[in-house]
Amino acid sequence: LAIGDDSGLIGDQLTNQTLVRLEGTTRSGTTVSLDLDGDGFDDGTTVADATGAFSFSDVLLAAGTNALSVEAVDGDQRVEASLQIVVDIDGPQAELVTPMAGSVVNMEPGYVDIRWTDAGLASLDVDSFGTGDISITSATVESATPLDDGVVRYQYSSTPDALPEGTITVTVNAGEVLDTAGNANEADELTFSVDRSSPV
């Protein structure tokens, strides 16, 4: 997988690109054929240059695991090589777990817990978590601490000293949380309510 199309960690064969360039090396002048679907080496042919380098451009991959093979033919000699490339186009998603989304609370713990999940084959990039992931009504997010099972605890300070009564919106800011394929989360709004009024 060409470096320019390897959106995750370089060399991990994980990408969010579906149209990619494949590169390799073999003996110079060797004819190289490509197989994308397991039905024979009929999905492209090229010839290695004087340094032995060869490539296939605009290779269309499907979401999920793609098993690719090449065959190099030089006279009577035939050599095959295989590679698996995983395509993940799904970004992380956020779920409010503390307080629960849609719940009503009469006190605040000073933090919200967000569970981040990724529907694709990539895993969450824990290094991407930070205070810019979310915004909270009348509060400032001061820290982001990863817990277990994809949960991140966001400590906040409220202005003046407590969150106002009524609906509190936790805004999930787009493009802040990544997975290891390089996909980013989309914007979202999660809410809970604060009610400190006693019955009369």
Side-chain angles (χ1 to χ4, degrees):
L1 182 61
I3 290 178
D5 294 323
D6 194 347
S7 62
L9 298 174
I10 301 302
D12 66 355
Q13 312 307 334
L14 177 64
T15 183
N16 59 15
Q17 304 296 308
T18 56
L19 197 63
V20 302
R21 175 183 171 91
L22 304 176
E23 299 175 340
T25 57
T26 185
R27 184 180 299 170
S28 64
T30 299
T31 299
V32 182
S33 300
L34 175 66
D35 176 28
L36 299 175
D37 47 21
D39 66 350
F41 296 95
D42 56 359
D43 297 310
T45 301
T46 189
V47 177
D49 65 17
T51 67
F54 66 87
S55 65
F56 295 93
S57 297
D58 298 329
V59 176
L60 183 62
L61 302 179
T65 302
N66 295 262
L68 316 177
S69 297
V70 290
E71 179 186 59
V73 179
D74 186 11
D76 295 332
Q77 292 185 319
R78 293 176 178 267
V79 179
E80 294 182 15
S82 298
L83 176 68
Q84 283 194 341
I85 297 177
V86 175
V87 177
D88 181 348
I89 58 176
D90 297 309
Q93 295 182 326
E95 175 192 6
L96 182 62
V97 293
T98 307
M100 289 183 61
S103 66
V104 180
V105 299
N106 61 7
M107 59 182 296
E108 52 180 292
Y111 61 82
V112 296
D113 289 341
I114 301 286
R115 176 176 287 113
W116 292 96
T117 57
D118 190 279
L121 297 175
S123 57
L124 294 169
D125 180 0
V126 296
D127 293 332
S128 67
F129 295 136
T131 57
D133 301 345
I134 63 170
S135 304
I136 304 173
T137 301
S138 301
T140 300
V141 178
E142 297 183 333
S143 66
T145 306
L147 305 178
D148 295 329
D149 195 28
V151 175
V152 178
R153 176 160 293 174
Y154 297 93
Q155 297 277 165
Y156 63 82
S157 61
S158 50
T159 303
D161 296 322
L163 295 178
E165 290 196 83
T167 300
I168 304 299
T169 301
V170 179
T171 301
V172 179
N173 299 319
E176 295 293 329
V177 176
L178 307 175
D179 64 16
T180 52
N183 297 302
N185 71 290
E186 296 183 357
D188 198 1
E189 287 190 350
L190 313 171
T191 62
F192 66 96
S193 297
V194 175
D195 183 355
R196 302 185 188 90
S197 303
S198 300
V200 295

Short mmCIF file of all heavy atoms in Angstrom, two decimals, residues 121-156:
data_model
loop_
_atom_site.label_atom_id
_atom_site.label_comp_id
_atom_site.label_asym_id
_atom_site.label_seq_id
_atom_site.Cartn_x
_atom_site.Cartn_y
_atom_site.Cartn_z
N LEU A 121 -13.45 -1.86 11.38
CA LEU A 121 -12.46 -2.83 11.83
C LEU A 121 -11.28 -2.18 12.54
O LEU A 121 -10.48 -2.86 13.17
CB LEU A 121 -11.95 -3.65 10.64
CG LEU A 121 -13.02 -4.49 9.93
CD1 LEU A 121 -12.44 -5.17 8.69
CD2 LEU A 121 -13.59 -5.54 10.87
N ALA A 122 -11.16 -0.86 12.43
CA ALA A 122 -10.09 -0.16 13.12
C ALA A 122 -10.44 0.00 14.60
O ALA A 122 -11.59 -0.17 15.00
CB ALA A 122 -9.85 1.21 12.48
N SER A 123 -9.45 0.33 15.40
CA SER A 123 -9.68 0.60 16.82
C SER A 123 -9.58 2.10 17.06
O SER A 123 -9.11 2.86 16.21
CB SER A 123 -8.66 -0.15 17.68
OG SER A 123 -7.33 0.20 17.29
N LEU A 124 -10.04 2.54 18.21
CA LEU A 124 -9.97 3.95 18.56
C LEU A 124 -8.52 4.38 18.74
O LEU A 124 -7.70 3.63 19.29
CB LEU A 124 -10.75 4.22 19.84
CG LEU A 124 -12.26 4.02 19.77
CD1 LEU A 124 -12.85 4.07 21.17
CD2 LEU A 124 -12.90 5.07 18.88
N ASP A 125 -8.21 5.59 18.30
CA ASP A 125 -6.88 6.17 18.52
C ASP A 125 -6.93 6.93 19.84
O ASP A 125 -7.38 8.07 19.89
CB ASP A 125 -6.53 7.10 17.36
CG ASP A 125 -5.16 7.74 17.52
OD1 ASP A 125 -4.48 7.47 18.53
OD2 ASP A 125 -4.77 8.52 16.62
N VAL A 126 -6.45 6.30 20.91
CA VAL A 126 -6.57 6.90 22.24
C VAL A 126 -5.76 8.18 22.35
O VAL A 126 -6.05 9.03 23.21
CB VAL A 126 -6.16 5.90 23.34
CG1 VAL A 126 -7.12 4.71 23.37
CG2 VAL A 126 -4.72 5.43 23.14
N ASP A 127 -4.77 8.35 21.50
CA ASP A 127 -3.97 9.57 21.54
C ASP A 127 -4.74 10.78 21.02
O ASP A 127 -4.28 11.92 21.17
CB ASP A 127 -2.67 9.41 20.74
CG ASP A 127 -1.72 8.40 21.38
OD1 ASP A 127 -1.77 8.25 22.62
OD2 ASP A 127 -0.93 7.77 20.65
N SER A 128 -5.89 10.54 20.38
CA SER A 128 -6.66 11.66 19.83
C SER A 128 -7.63 12.27 20.84
O SER A 128 -8.20 13.32 20.59
CB SER A 128 -7.43 11.22 18.58
OG SER A 128 -8.45 10.29 18.91
N PHE A 129 -7.83 11.62 21.99
CA PHE A 129 -8.74 12.16 23.00
C PHE A 129 -8.17 13.44 23.60
O PHE A 129 -6.98 13.53 23.88
CB PHE A 129 -8.99 11.15 24.12
CG PHE A 129 -9.70 9.90 23.68
CD1 PHE A 129 -9.27 8.66 24.13
CD2 PHE A 129 -10.78 9.96 22.84
CE1 PHE A 129 -9.91 7.50 23.73
CE2 PHE A 129 -11.43 8.81 22.43
CZ PHE A 129 -10.99 7.57 22.88
N GLY A 130 -9.06 14.44 23.81
CA GLY A 130 -8.61 15.69 24.40
C GLY A 130 -9.77 16.55 24.83
O GLY A 130 -10.95 16.21 24.60
N THR A 131 -9.47 17.67 25.43
CA THR A 131 -10.52 18.56 25.96
C THR A 131 -11.35 19.20 24.85
O THR A 131 -12.44 19.69 25.11
CB THR A 131 -9.90 19.66 26.83
OG1 THR A 131 -8.93 20.38 26.06
CG2 THR A 131 -9.22 19.06 28.06
N GLY A 132 -10.86 19.18 23.62
CA GLY A 132 -11.62 19.76 22.52
C GLY A 132 -12.65 18.83 21.92
O GLY A 132 -13.38 19.21 21.00
N ASP A 133 -12.75 17.60 22.46
CA ASP A 133 -13.70 16.62 21.90
C ASP A 133 -15.14 17.07 22.04
O ASP A 133 -15.97 16.81 21.17
CB ASP A 133 -13.54 15.26 22.59
CG ASP A 133 -12.15 14.68 22.46
OD1 ASP A 133 -11.38 15.16 21.61
OD2 ASP A 133 -11.84 13.73 23.21
N ILE A 134 -15.45 17.71 23.18
CA ILE A 134 -16.84 18.10 23.47
C ILE A 134 -16.89 19.51 24.03
O ILE A 134 -15.87 20.06 24.49
CB ILE A 134 -17.50 17.14 24.47
CG1 ILE A 134 -16.78 17.19 25.83
CG2 ILE A 134 -17.55 15.71 23.92
CD1 ILE A 134 -17.51 16.47 26.94
N SER A 135 -18.08 20.09 24.00
CA SER A 135 -18.38 21.35 24.68
C SER A 135 -19.64 21.12 25.51
O SER A 135 -20.52 20.34 25.11
CB SER A 135 -18.61 22.48 23.68
OG SER A 135 -17.49 22.63 22.83
N ILE A 136 -19.75 21.81 26.66
CA ILE A 136 -20.87 21.62 27.57
C ILE A 136 -21.49 22.97 27.88
O ILE A 136 -20.77 23.95 28.13
CB ILE A 136 -20.43 20.94 28.87
CG1 ILE A 136 -19.72 19.61 28.57
CG2 ILE A 136 -21.61 20.70 29.81
CD1 ILE A 136 -19.09 18.95 29.78
N THR A 137 -22.82 23.03 27.89
CA THR A 137 -23.53 24.26 28.20
C THR A 137 -23.03 24.87 29.51
O THR A 137 -22.99 24.19 30.54
CB THR A 137 -25.04 23.98 28.34
OG1 THR A 137 -25.53 23.44 27.11
CG2 THR A 137 -25.81 25.26 28.66
N SER A 138 -22.62 26.15 29.46
CA SER A 138 -22.21 26.91 30.65
C SER A 138 -21.06 26.27 31.42
O SER A 138 -20.96 26.43 32.63
CB SER A 138 -23.40 27.12 31.60
OG SER A 138 -24.44 27.82 30.95
N ALA A 139 -20.19 25.54 30.74
CA ALA A 139 -19.08 24.88 31.42
C ALA A 139 -17.84 24.88 30.54
O ALA A 139 -17.92 25.06 29.32
CB ALA A 139 -19.45 23.45 31.81
N THR A 140 -16.69 24.68 31.17
CA THR A 140 -15.42 24.58 30.46
C THR A 140 -14.82 23.21 30.72
O THR A 140 -14.64 22.82 31.88
CB THR A 140 -14.44 25.66 30.95
OG1 THR A 140 -15.00 26.96 30.72
CG2 THR A 140 -13.11 25.56 30.20
N VAL A 141 -14.54 22.48 29.67
CA VAL A 141 -13.93 21.15 29.81
C VAL A 141 -12.45 21.33 30.15
O VAL A 141 -11.72 22.00 29.43
CB VAL A 141 -14.11 20.32 28.53
CG1 VAL A 141 -13.44 18.96 28.67
CG2 VAL A 141 -15.58 20.16 28.19
N GLU A 142 -12.02 20.71 31.24
CA GLU A 142 -10.67 20.93 31.74
C GLU A 142 -9.74 19.75 31.55
O GLU A 142 -8.53 19.91 31.52
CB GLU A 142 -10.71 21.33 33.22
CG GLU A 142 -11.44 22.66 33.46
CD GLU A 142 -11.41 23.07 34.91
OE1 GLU A 142 -11.33 22.18 35.78
OE2 GLU A 142 -11.47 24.29 35.18
N SER A 143 -10.30 18.54 31.43
CA SER A 143 -9.44 17.38 31.25
C SER A 143 -10.22 16.26 30.58
O SER A 143 -11.46 16.23 30.61
CB SER A 143 -8.88 16.88 32.59
OG SER A 143 -9.92 16.38 33.42
N ALA A 144 -9.50 15.35 29.94
CA ALA A 144 -10.10 14.18 29.30
C ALA A 144 -9.27 12.96 29.70
O ALA A 144 -8.09 12.87 29.36
CB ALA A 144 -10.10 14.34 27.78
N THR A 145 -9.90 12.04 30.44
CA THR A 145 -9.19 10.88 30.98
C THR A 145 -9.80 9.59 30.45
O THR A 145 -10.96 9.29 30.77
CB THR A 145 -9.24 10.87 32.51
OG1 THR A 145 -8.75 12.11 33.02
CG2 THR A 145 -8.42 9.72 33.07
N PRO A 146 -9.06 8.81 29.65
CA PRO A 146 -9.60 7.53 29.17
C PRO A 146 -9.79 6.56 30.34
O PRO A 146 -8.91 6.41 31.19
CB PRO A 146 -8.52 7.03 28.21
CG PRO A 146 -7.76 8.25 27.81
CD PRO A 146 -7.77 9.13 29.03
N LEU A 147 -10.95 5.89 30.37
CA LEU A 147 -11.24 4.85 31.35
C LEU A 147 -11.30 3.52 30.61
O LEU A 147 -10.60 3.34 29.62
CB LEU A 147 -12.56 5.17 32.06
CG LEU A 147 -12.64 6.54 32.74
CD1 LEU A 147 -14.01 6.75 33.37
CD2 LEU A 147 -11.54 6.72 33.78
N ASP A 148 -12.10 2.58 31.06
CA ASP A 148 -12.22 1.29 30.39
C ASP A 148 -13.33 1.30 29.35
O ASP A 148 -14.24 2.12 29.39
CB ASP A 148 -12.51 0.19 31.42
CG ASP A 148 -11.36 -0.01 32.40
OD1 ASP A 148 -10.20 0.20 31.99
OD2 ASP A 148 -11.62 -0.38 33.56
N ASP A 149 -13.26 0.34 28.43
CA ASP A 149 -14.34 0.07 27.47
C ASP A 149 -14.67 1.28 26.60
O ASP A 149 -15.83 1.54 26.29
CB ASP A 149 -15.58 -0.40 28.22
CG ASP A 149 -16.62 -1.05 27.29
OD1 ASP A 149 -16.22 -1.59 26.25
OD2 ASP A 149 -17.82 -1.00 27.61
N GLY A 150 -13.65 2.05 26.22
CA GLY A 150 -13.86 3.18 25.32
C GLY A 150 -14.44 4.42 25.97
O GLY A 150 -14.76 5.39 25.29
N VAL A 151 -14.59 4.41 27.30
CA VAL A 151 -15.18 5.55 28.00
C VAL A 151 -14.10 6.59 28.31
O VAL A 151 -13.00 6.25 28.76
CB VAL A 151 -15.86 5.11 29.31
CG1 VAL A 151 -16.36 6.32 30.10
CG2 VAL A 151 -17.02 4.16 29.00
N VAL A 152 -14.42 7.86 28.07
CA VAL A 152 -13.54 8.97 28.40
C VAL A 152 -14.28 9.87 29.37
O VAL A 152 -15.44 10.24 29.14
CB VAL A 152 -13.11 9.75 27.15
CG1 VAL A 152 -12.23 10.94 27.54
CG2 VAL A 152 -12.37 8.85 26.18
N ARG A 153 -13.61 10.22 30.48
CA ARG A 153 -14.22 11.11 31.48
C ARG A 153 -13.73 12.53 31.23
O ARG A 153 -12.53 12.80 31.24
CB ARG A 153 -13.85 10.66 32.88
CG ARG A 153 -14.35 11.59 34.00
CD ARG A 153 -14.39 10.88 35.32
NE ARG A 153 -15.42 9.83 35.29
CZ ARG A 153 -15.61 8.95 36.29
NH1 ARG A 153 -14.84 9.01 37.37
NH2 ARG A 153 -16.56 8.05 36.19
N TYR A 154 -14.69 13.43 31.02
CA TYR A 154 -14.38 14.83 30.77
C TYR A 154 -14.76 15.66 32.00
O TYR A 154 -15.94 15.86 32.28
CB TYR A 154 -15.15 15.33 29.54
CG TYR A 154 -14.78 14.62 28.26
CD1 TYR A 154 -15.49 13.50 27.83
CD2 TYR A 154 -13.71 15.05 27.48
CE1 TYR A 154 -15.15 12.83 26.66
CE2 TYR A 154 -13.36 14.40 26.30
CZ TYR A 154 -14.08 13.29 25.91
OH TYR A 154 -13.74 12.63 24.74
N GLN A 155 -13.76 16.06 32.77
CA GLN A 155 -13.99 16.92 33.94
C GLN A 155 -14.26 18.34 33.44
O GLN A 155 -13.66 18.80 32.46
CB GLN A 155 -12.75 16.93 34.84
CG GLN A 155 -12.38 15.59 35.44
CD GLN A 155 -13.16 15.26 36.68
OE1 GLN A 155 -13.19 14.12 37.12
NE2 GLN A 155 -13.82 16.25 37.27
N TYR A 156 -15.18 19.03 34.11
CA TYR A 156 -15.50 20.39 33.69
C TYR A 156 -15.65 21.29 34.91
O TYR A 156 -15.88 20.83 36.05
CB TYR A 156 -16.77 20.41 32.86
CG TYR A 156 -18.02 19.97 33.58
CD1 TYR A 156 -18.73 20.85 34.41
CD2 TYR A 156 -18.51 18.67 33.45
CE1 TYR A 156 -19.87 20.44 35.08
CE2 TYR A 156 -19.64 18.26 34.12
CZ TYR A 156 -20.32 19.15 34.94
OH TYR A 156 -21.44 18.73 35.60
#
